[in-house]
Amino acid sequence: MAAVWAVVLALGAWTAPGIAASGSEDNEDARDQEATDSVGAALRFLKNGSEEDAERADAALCDGASPQVSSSDLDDLRQSYDEEFGGIERVNLDAGEPVSSVDGIEIAVRVWYVYQSRQESEDFLVTVQEDDGVFCVSETVLQSVEEEPSESGTTGIEEEVDTQAVATDFLRAIVVDREPQTAASFQCQTFTGITPQELNDAITDWAEAGETVIGYLDGFDSVDSDDSSVDAFAADIKLDGDMDIETFSFQLTVQGDCVSSLEGGDDLI
């Protein structure tokens, strides 16, 4: 869960208000603001590079840096998924906690390429340098898990899917971020049960008119499933309103790299 929350904090730091050299902060694009922490620097490079903005990506690099994965390499990755999917709607990023090393500050970042119900991801290890509060990227490496050679002698690439992370991100997008459309990108084409929009609407209806509601994931556990093709999870969500606090239980299944069902929510749905 630390990796999931880190990206929220990092993006907040990256888009914090700043004063442009040419004038007021109102005229400055948030993408041009310098990162205020190591994760923000890593995300600035990967996000811009994966969204066809090489100039802004390269602005996040340290002077003289020549990372293994360049901004053009990031663009090539995006284009390969664009061709495979038939388009790219958005790019999502999840960052892990910064770890100090002899080479600098290392951050593991997963980049998701999303188009309608399809999504694939690539894992990167980004090294960031810090000098008197200024953060820049010195190295970026693409991390892949190679398969053992097959009988035909070929070698492929296989990425192990963290199904609990998929389920957590799906539910968090609805309950915490209140972004049902983002959650919908995690759905399988054969998804059944409560849709992200239905759960979001139920949370809105639960609150009194004008009441502020904060949603939490209050528990997430793997459970046995009768269907060997899916991984099943039990999750509790907590809704904290101005006048009341309640907890509701849900059951999710993940098939492969997508959420195949969402059930439960008694007394809420």
Side-chain angles (χ1 to χ4, degrees):
M1 288 300 293
V4 174
W5 286 109
V7 67
V8 179
L9 297 174
L11 287 173
W14 180 26
T15 58
I19 299 177
S22 60
S24 77
E25 62 187 55
D26 294 336
N27 297 324
E28 183 180 17
D29 191 310
R31 293 170 296 176
D32 295 325
Q33 296 172 6
E34 293 185 355
T36 58
D37 62 20
S38 58
V39 177
L43 294 178
R44 186 183 186 197
F45 177 68
L46 291 177
K47 181 73 170 175
N48 288 316
S50 300
E51 292 189 337
E52 304 176 291
D53 198 340
E55 184 176 352
R56 285 191 169 98
D58 290 341
L61 296 177
C62 301
D63 291 343
S66 181
Q68 290 187 37
V69 177
S70 66
S71 56
S72 62
D73 294 328
L74 293 172
D75 187 63
D76 288 343
L77 273 172
R78 177 195 172 93
Q79 296 305 325
S80 68
Y81 284 112
D82 188 296
E83 293 174 5
E84 179 183 346
F85 294 167
I88 294 289
E89 289 180 336
R90 65 181 176 279
V91 176
N92 296 333
L93 292 85
D94 283 341
E97 294 288 348
V99 177
S100 296
S101 74
V102 294
D103 297 320
I105 307 169
E106 295 184 342
I107 302 108
V109 183
R110 175 167 292 180
V111 178
W112 294 92
Y113 307 87
V114 182
Y115 180 68
Q116 296 180 355
S117 61
R118 299 191 64 183
Q119 63 176 358
E120 294 290 346
S121 65
E122 298 285 354
D123 289 332
F124 299 86
L125 184 64
V126 183
T127 304
V128 175
Q129 306 299 325
E130 187 269 337
D131 182 16
D132 195 23
V134 176
F135 298 84
C136 61
V137 172
S138 58
E139 182 61 282
T140 303
V141 178
L142 178 64
Q143 297 184 303
S144 299
V145 180
E146 295 189 359
E147 294 178 332
E148 293 294 327
S150 65
E151 294 181 0
S152 63
T154 61
T155 301
I157 300 295
E158 179 181 3
E159 181 179 331
E160 183 179 352
V161 176
D162 185 341
T163 54
Q164 181 161 332
V166 172
T168 302
D169 289 349
F170 168 79
L171 200 56
R172 177 178 56 84
I174 310 170
V175 177
V176 180
D177 300 335
R178 302 300 298 278
E179 295 182 356
Q181 290 184 338
T182 298
S185 69
F186 290 94
Q187 292 180 217
C188 300
Q189 292 184 339
T190 56
F191 179 88
T192 61
I194 305 164
T195 68
Q197 189 61 56
E198 288 171 340
L199 178 51
N200 182 73
D201 291 345
I203 294 173
T204 300
D205 293 341
W206 176 83
E208 299 290 340
E211 182 180 26
T212 299
V213 178
I214 300 175
Y216 305 91
L217 299 189
D218 197 38
F220 220 105
D221 297 300
S222 176
V223 296
D224 293 334
S225 172
D226 294 333
D227 185 350
S228 60
S229 68
V230 302
D231 290 337
F233 302 94
D236 290 336
I237 71 168
K238 179 182 290 185
L239 301 182
D240 187 348
D242 296 336
M243 303 297 295
D244 197 10
I245 299 176
E246 284 192 77
T247 300
F248 304 95
S249 298
F250 291 86
Q251 300 80 47
L252 303 86
T253 58
V254 175
Q255 187 169 34
D257 61 356
C258 59
V259 177
S260 52
S261 70
L262 174 64
E263 305 289 346
D266 295 346
D267 298 326
L268 176 64
I269 303 296

